[in-house]
């Protein structure tokens, strides 16, 4: 009888742990995702806030220049998934892409704007964040060499989900939406883009998630295969 009672108590503890552990993990994840600046040094967080607040309302990118294979090679060093592209795909990507310069403090993207291109950071650094009603920013992140942004609007047609401002002179490879969709036929790149989109959407307002749920179920399935050219 005593042994039975002990086993019942042990089973109860195990059930509690199995039930509570996922909830604790979810709570910790939510805390990390939605607390602005968490995990960033205070000075870096304040600098990002200052940059985003002071940035001009109008994006400051010029027309840029035509991209070259050397630009793509430099990016592939930072983003190894691009190394899987065939010579034909590399040439097609370079033919459509452009290289732009963003001076320090320039606005690259504005939250809510429409956009038909994604950007890959070749050099420099940028910061991203979502403005709140009290004038602060949340979901702050830093974009370094090899990082990319703007893929959500480019692939889904949805408005831009954050403000992006150059933290220092930044060189960007601009890839049109149609070209980016073509890259989704490559499993490695498809997984990379979709995982990054999922991560970023989880950091937007909860009210935004249902709006993108349909995209995940319908449009994103099509993005995994090459789109027929019109």
């Amino acid at each position: 009888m005593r042994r039975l009672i002990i086993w019942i108590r042990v089973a109860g503890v195990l059930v509690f742990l199995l039930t509570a552990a996922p909830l604790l993990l979810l709570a910790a994840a939510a805390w990390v995702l939605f607390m602005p600046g968490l995990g960033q040094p205070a000075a870096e967080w304040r600098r990002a806030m200052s940059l985003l607040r002071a940035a001009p309302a109008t994006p400051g990118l010029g027309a840029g220049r035509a991209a070259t294979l050397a630009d793509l090679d430099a990016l592939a060093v930072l983003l190894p998934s691009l190394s899987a592209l065939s010579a034909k795909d590399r040439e097609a990507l370079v033919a459509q892409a452009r290289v732009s310069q963003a001076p320090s403090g320039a606005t690259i993207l504005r939250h809510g704007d429409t956009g038909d291109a994604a950007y890959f950071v070749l050099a420099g650094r940028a910061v991203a964040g979502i403005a709140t009603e009290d004038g602060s920013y949340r979901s702050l992140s830093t974009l370094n060499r090899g990082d990319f942004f703007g893929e959500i609007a480019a692939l889904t047609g949805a408005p831009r989900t954050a403000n992006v401002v150059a933290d220092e002179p930044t060189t960007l490879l601009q890839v049109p939406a149609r070209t980016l969709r073509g890259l989704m036929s490559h499993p490695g790149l498809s997984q990379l883009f979709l995982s990054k989109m999922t991560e970023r959407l989880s950091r937007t307002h909860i009210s935004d998630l249902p709006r993108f749920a349909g995209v995940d179920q319908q449009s994103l399935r099509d993005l995994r295969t090459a789109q027929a050219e019109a």
Side-chain angles (χ1 to χ4, degrees):
M1 185 66 180
R2 183 178 181 183
R3 181 176 297 179
L4 177 60
I5 293 174
I6 292 174
W7 275 110
I8 291 174
R9 289 177 178 175
V10 170
V13 172
L14 289 174
V15 169
F16 172 78
L17 290 175
L18 290 173
T19 303
L23 295 176
L24 292 174
L25 288 174
L26 286 173
W31 179 269
V32 170
L33 286 174
F34 295 106
M35 282 299 291
L38 189 65
Q40 292 180 293
E44 179 183 343
W45 183 79
R46 286 194 296 269
R47 176 175 173 78
M49 288 278 291
S50 177
L51 279 167
L52 289 164
R53 285 173 173 168
T58 304
L61 287 180
R65 60 168 175 82
T68 65
L69 286 173
D71 296 319
L72 185 57
D73 289 339
L75 182 60
V77 172
L78 304 168
L79 203 61
S81 298
L82 289 172
S83 301
L85 294 177
S86 66
K88 181 180 179 180
D89 289 338
R90 284 162 46 84
E91 291 174 359
L93 172 56
V94 167
Q96 300 298 322
R98 299 193 66 82
V99 174
S100 302
Q101 303 290 333
S104 180
T107 297
I108 302 172
L109 298 181
R110 294 290 297 182
H111 179 229
D113 287 353
T114 57
D116 60 355
Y119 299 86
F120 295 78
V121 182
L122 292 172
R125 183 174 59 193
V127 296
I130 303 171
T132 60
E133 293 181 358
D134 63 0
S136 61
Y137 282 80
R138 66 180 182 86
S139 300
L140 292 171
S141 61
T142 302
L143 301 161
N144 296 302
R145 295 171 62 239
D147 289 332
F148 58 89
F149 57 93
E151 77 289 346
I152 295 175
L155 291 174
T156 69
R160 299 293 190 190
T161 58
N163 296 344
V164 180
V165 176
D167 186 15
E168 58 187 51
T170 302
T171 304
L172 301 163
L173 182 73
Q174 181 177 342
V175 178
R178 172 179 284 188
T179 305
L180 194 69
R181 282 176 172 267
L183 295 178
M184 297 295 287
S185 63
H186 297 270
L189 290 171
S190 176
Q191 181 179 2
L192 175 66
F193 295 145
L194 291 175
S195 63
K196 183 60 69 173
M197 288 172 66
T198 301
E199 173 193 335
R200 286 172 173 161
L201 287 175
S202 71
R203 301 182 66 173
T204 62
H205 292 287
I206 290 296
S207 59
D208 289 340
L209 297 182
R211 179 163 58 91
F212 286 101
V215 172
D216 183 64
Q217 296 298 320
Q218 300 172 21
S219 301
L220 295 187
R221 183 181 306 139
D222 297 333
L223 294 175
R224 293 185 174 89
T225 58
Q227 302 296 307
E229 297 292 334

